[in-house]
Amino acid sequence: MGEQEQQPVLRLASASPRRRQLLELIGVSVVVTRGAVALPGEHLADLAGATVWGLVRAAQTEHPGRIILVDSDSGDPINVAAALATGEPQVVLRNDVVHLARVVPSRAAEAVLSPPADGAPWRLAVNKASTSGTFEDLVLEEIPDADAQLPPGRIRVSIRAIAANFRDVMITLGLYPGDAVMGIEAAGVVTDVGPGVTTVAVGDRVMGLFPEGTGTVATTDARVVLPVPDDWHYPQAAGFTVGFATAFFALRQLADARAGHSVLVHAATGGVGMAAVQLARHWGLEVFATASRGKWDTLRAMGFDDDHFGDSRTLDFEQKFLAVTGGRGVDIVLDSLAGEFVDASLRLLPRGGAFLEMGKTDIRDAATVAAAHPGVRYRAFDLFEAGADGVAEILSGVAALGRTGVLKPLPVSTWDVRRAPAALRHLSQARHIGKVVMTMPDAWASGTVLITGGTGMAGAAVARHVAARHGVRHLLLVSRRGLEAPGATELVDELTAAGATVNVVAADVADRDALGKVLAGVDHQHALSAVFHTAGVLDDAVVTSLTPDRIDTVMRAKADSAWNLHELTRDLELSAFVMFSSMAGLVGGSGQANYSAANAYLDALATMRRDEGLPGMSLGWGLWEQASGMTGHLQTADLARLNRDGILAMPVDDALRLFDEALVVDEPFLVPARIDRAALRTKSAAGTLPPMFNDLISGPARRQVGDSLAAAQSRSALTARLSGLPTEDQHAVLLGLVRSHMATVLGLPTPEAIAADLAFSDHGFDSLTAVELRNRLKAATGLTLSPTLIFDYPNPSALAEYFRTQLGNEDEAAPATNKVEEELQRVVASIPIKRLRQAGVLDMLLNLAGESGDAADDRAAEPADRAQDIADMDLQELLAAFNDDDDD
């Protein structure tokens, strides 16, 4: 790695231990931390470590090639050496697997559902005009007669959060028997009661069952809801009822579970599974469980030892549990699996017992089961078969246990309901722990919204935007100067005229006591519902000029303030906790090591909050066009340098549009920025592009090909596409189609993440994801495909070959043509003519093709130059030419 430069000498006497560590790490050639930090998207457990991560990123900018950061959970020097051998400046090593940092374009906002434009009440449903059976069929449709008069015993509820269940997945994929509605479990506020209702009143917070479906509003029987405990958030409440009521009904009423019995709970890290574990242990049952291997640590955290859990993706659990129990097996099976897993589970009842089937994909005949397994009482059941009175009795029992603290709310992962396709796909892949819950749009806007740095440029812009666009009526703007800040009085007047009540407070959010007083002054009638932390301070200096004071100044405004906000609001009913970070925390910045470290801290805090079931998002902003107190010092040369680096300034309106998209996407860490891909390509050619940006160059081109393949909606269109191609190219096209749809179903960023020869099960496909893939491929190919399609072929390559035999031209005498020309022809054919003309390529192609008229004259005038323009382009460059106008 060459000789090390002498480390700078700094005065550290006044630095805290954490910040002393930051300074001491500057200037070393290799920094190795063990298990403390991970890249965005991985688990970030140690916030102090995250600041180290950000600081070293910035030092790498000033000393490229000299500093490498390896975050490893391995003490083996060979493993660390292998990570270093990647040549990457930042590497994470987990379980002997190397992870690299990559920035990828977010496509989540492209799959957002739109509510009815007229503002009418709406609900989640499947588009009745579609028969494809994919998550793209979901819509938000208007609720007819949403304000109809309530009959006796009914209540109307304004919904705040909807729990997703596998029932909803099956309805979407066309697997649920009969007509069914979506969103039968929710939480919200009672807005109307019918005659005879005495158990709840208008204004009560309730959670419960809504058999007729839910949306922005819903009606239900007053007997099937429960009051929401005061210290529960709406998402927790929404995900409580079905899981615990179903488990209670199954174990207590159907299986008559008693102390001393043993039970096998399949999918024990899901909603019903986790609820069943809590109830069974309370009643004194011995509990066995299954889950996929990736969730075994969750099972251990739930108190299971290795003898009591197994893999839900293999049949090994049968022999393991028979061995552990000395052949006795169990007394009760709570099942949600299918096929041979049901058979294996039935064999775990050798002494007879209850087999309770919750799933709807593999229902058996009870008499047939009893004949094959003497003494086994097979029962497929649904909670609603208990009837309103029966459900009310079940909920009464659940509520009693909840009041005594026996039952705890389940962990939840939240999604904006407008991202229902992504939420249900996530659920279908069983990637969740506990419950998946969908929240209503702008749920955070209902109470008081706190904005730190509220009188600064970004804070004021956000205040105006949330008042005008999101209907916020109670704003708390906190800044160090309060109303004395320039423009603060005018801002208050503007917001007041827009209908908002505004309170501007002068306080240092980094001072915990001062922040506590601010929060204590919030009107209880309009409780705090959202926090937007936009405050920040710059104190730029090159790495060797940093001092403890310079680190403290920046860290206080960003990191210390964020931590105080986190601690003092964590027990409140917040619906949003959004921190304004910076790209500096992601890639570092010359002269901004302290700022980079502070922003990396925010990115880590957002992930930590999400892991704790709290709302949390960090936005790593690019440059805003409007000057602020933090960017007003930038000179023309500074802006030109940023442009050369590919970071273009965004008008405020564009930034706020990305802000809105980020609120819908709702991931822990997002980078709203305007990126100049042409500048990135220039830096790549010069060898100065940070590796984490590589996918921004190559990714869109690959996806464009995949998207055009996925657009083939009929057998005839795909057959025409294959016509005349050599056999191996037909296979390549169809393999691309298969991989493209697999990537979509699995939520992978690019089709290239799919290994052609790896088994479907090894890619993570199970029965539900297999059905979605089959449905997508059926629509793309026009072929009649079996529901067990992917289990009939060993891997994607074999499936593509099957499609080729059904669709492709198998004439081996097909003329062999130049493959580069073929690829160019296919790609260019997929690009709209308008894009070709805008990019200046259409004329070149026409000229080369020998078109007549003006194009022919142009070609005759300079044929060599134009031909060379094309000849010098590779495919990626040609595709890039058509993407240059998509910089943001």
Side-chain angles (χ1 to χ4, degrees), residues 673-719:
R674 188 180 176 202
I675 305 297
D676 182 354
R677 293 195 182 106
L680 296 187
R681 286 190 290 273
T682 299
K683 289 178 68 67
S684 178
T688 59
L689 181 70
M692 70 171 62
F693 287 131
N694 285 345
D695 285 1
L696 292 182
I697 298 176
S698 57
R702 292 196 301 266
R703 275 190 295 273
Q704 184 167 346
V705 175
D707 288 347
S708 65
L709 292 174
Q713 294 296 311
S714 68
R715 181 169 183 163
S716 59
L718 189 54
T719 300

Side-chain angles (χ1 to χ4, degrees), residues 365-704:
D365 178 72
T368 302
V369 169
H373 303 275
V376 173
R377 306 186 312 278
Y378 179 92
R379 173 75 181 274
F381 74 100
D382 187 293
L383 176 62
F384 290 116
E385 70 186 54
D389 287 332
V391 170
E393 181 182 350
I394 293 168
L395 291 181
S396 177
V398 169
L401 294 175
R403 285 192 297 270
T404 60
V406 170
L407 304 181
K408 304 296 182 183
L410 303 175
V412 299
S413 55
T414 58
W415 306 69
D416 189 296
V417 69
R418 290 168 291 185
R419 290 195 65 208
L424 293 186
R425 178 173 288 119
H426 184 83
L427 179 62
S428 75
Q429 296 166 5
R431 293 163 58 188
H432 63 296
I433 301 293
K435 297 286 289 191
V436 170
V437 174
M438 297 176 287
T439 57
M440 291 293 106
D442 295 347
W444 53 269
S446 59
T448 295
V449 173
L450 167 63
I451 303 176
T452 70
T455 58
M457 185 279 292
V462 170
R464 294 186 183 97
H465 183 69
V466 298
R469 173 69 175 79
H470 299 278
V472 172
R473 289 296 170 261
H474 301 279
L475 284 164
L476 174 58
L477 309 183
V478 182
S479 65
R480 285 173 297 170
R481 288 184 287 178
L483 282 172
E484 295 182 2
T489 300
E490 292 80 2
L491 174 63
V492 171
D493 292 342
E494 182 180 345
L495 293 171
T496 301
T501 300
V502 187
N503 185 17
V504 179
V505 178
D508 182 0
V509 182
D511 182 331
R512 182 186 175 90
D513 292 337
L515 177 60
K517 291 179 182 178
V518 171
L519 296 176
V522 175
D523 184 354
H524 292 297
Q525 291 184 334
H526 306 288
L528 195 69
S529 59
V531 168
F532 295 98
H533 178 35
T534 75
V537 173
L538 287 179
D539 191 1
D540 291 351
V542 295
V543 167
T544 53
S545 298
L546 281 179
T547 65
D549 286 343
R550 278 183 152 167
I551 288 185
D552 284 340
T553 297
V554 175
M555 293 289 289
R556 276 181 58 81
K558 282 280 187 182
D560 294 351
S561 296
W563 184 257
N564 289 341
L565 288 164
H566 160 67
E567 285 200 314
L568 294 177
T569 66
R570 66 184 307 160
D571 295 326
L572 303 180
E573 181 80 16
L574 290 187
S575 298
F577 189 98
V578 181
M579 296 171 287
F580 276 32
S581 177
S582 167
M583 286 188 71
L586 180 68
V587 297
S590 181
Q592 291 192 314
N594 49 2
Y595 190 60
S596 176
N599 285 293
Y601 185 99
L602 302 192
D603 304 339
L605 178 58
T607 301
M608 191 196 79
R609 283 181 59 89
R610 296 293 276 264
D611 288 343
E612 294 181 0
L614 300 170
M617 185 191 310
S618 184
L619 301 180
W621 286 103
L623 182 65
W624 288 35
E625 192 174 81
Q626 182 175 337
S628 70
M630 295 173 62
T631 62
H633 67 287
L634 293 176
Q635 304 298 316
T636 302
D638 297 313
L639 296 175
R641 174 178 53 81
L642 290 171
N643 288 345
R644 288 194 301 273
D645 287 342
I647 311 302
L648 302 178
M650 293 179 290
V652 172
D653 287 346
D654 288 352
L656 293 174
R657 174 179 56 80
L658 294 178
F659 171 78
D660 285 342
E661 289 187 5
L663 292 177
V664 177
V665 173
D666 194 25
E667 296 289 347
F669 179 61
L670 293 167
V671 182
R674 188 180 176 202
I675 305 297
D676 182 354
R677 293 195 182 106
L680 296 187
R681 286 190 290 273
T682 299
K683 289 178 68 67
S684 178
T688 59
L689 181 70
M692 70 171 62
F693 287 131
N694 285 345
D695 285 1
L696 292 182
I697 298 176
S698 57
R702 292 196 301 266
R703 275 190 295 273
Q704 184 167 346

